[in-house]
Amino acid sequence: EGALRRQGEEGEMSWFRRLFRRESDASRKTVSEGWNGFIERYGMLEYEQVDAAYKPAFLVYRYFSEVYNGGHLQFFLNCHKVPFDAVSAALDEVAGPIAAENFNIALDAWEAWDPEPPETSEEFVALAKEDTLEARDQFVYRVKPTLDDKLLNYMIERKLI
């Protein structure tokens, strides 16, 4: 928990912003086009449809896009078909063991809790405010560099974009 908190409190400029500050217009355009191409190609596919080389990036993208928009509750409700062990491994590979640990804590709480899916927005908010999930959400929201920055770096290093 302490290591999670320390990493989340580090406040440095995002990797993506540093890249764009120092790179040429042509480099920025290449990265932007590559990122947009990844989203267009893989953003809405099912896990089984994703090329093997892109699976870790796909899982981290699905994870952070759901968590940033509605927390871990939204991720677990919308992404129940993805293998959660693969999400944990992808987070470890792309963002490091602390990100994977944060996910695993949320997953343990989700699996122990097993609530009924909410039918109204009020029910969703009440479920999302569950202590463990809320704490895991806050970690994701605070951590620097962000998961999307780490994912972009991972994809550039591996020439996926």
Side-chain angles (χ1 to χ4, degrees):
E1 184 70 30
L4 291 174
R5 188 174 305 110
R6 280 192 301 278
Q7 182 177 345
E9 290 172 354
E10 292 175 8
E12 57 185 66
M13 182 186 296
S14 80
W15 183 91
F16 191 77
R17 288 185 185 155
R18 285 196 315 273
L19 169 76
F20 272 60
R21 183 179 264 181
R22 72 171 188 257
E23 294 296 322
S24 68
D25 287 341
S27 294
R28 286 191 289 259
K29 183 177 180 185
T30 300
V31 169
S32 179
E33 287 173 351
W35 177 257
N36 291 338
F38 166 74
I39 302 303
E40 288 172 16
R41 181 168 183 190
Y42 295 105
M44 299 307 290
L45 294 180
E46 295 296 327
Y47 177 74
E48 298 77 27
Q49 298 172 301
V50 176
D51 298 327
Y54 286 86
K55 283 189 175 187
F58 168 81
L59 290 170
V60 171
Y61 169 74
R62 289 293 304 271
Y63 172 72
F64 81 69
S65 63
E66 294 289 347
V67 172
Y68 286 171
N69 285 301
H72 283 87
L73 178 61
Q74 181 170 308
F75 173 78
F76 292 128
L77 290 171
N78 290 347
C79 296
H80 57 276
K81 292 182 182 180
V82 300
F84 293 142
D85 59 331
V87 174
S88 180
L91 283 165
D92 187 48
E93 182 177 338
V94 172
I98 293 174
E101 179 184 347
N102 187 64
F103 170 76
N104 290 332
I105 293 168
L107 178 60
D108 288 347
W110 172 255
E111 289 178 339
W113 188 30
D114 195 27
E116 291 294 317
E119 294 183 16
T120 67
S121 59
E122 291 81 12
E123 289 177 357
F124 181 90
V125 170
L127 288 174
K129 293 295 182 185
E130 190 276 332
D131 289 344
T132 301
L133 293 180
E134 175 70 12
R136 300 305 100 212
D137 295 348
Q138 291 304 316
F139 171 78
V140 171
Y141 304 151
R142 290 190 329 256
V143 71
K144 303 290 185 235
T146 63
L147 288 176
D148 45 326
D149 288 337
K150 289 181 178 186
L151 176 57
L152 183 62
N153 186 37
Y154 172 88
M155 294 177 74
I156 291 169
E157 287 176 353
R158 284 156 185 79
K159 300 190 182 345
L160 297 173
I161 59 171

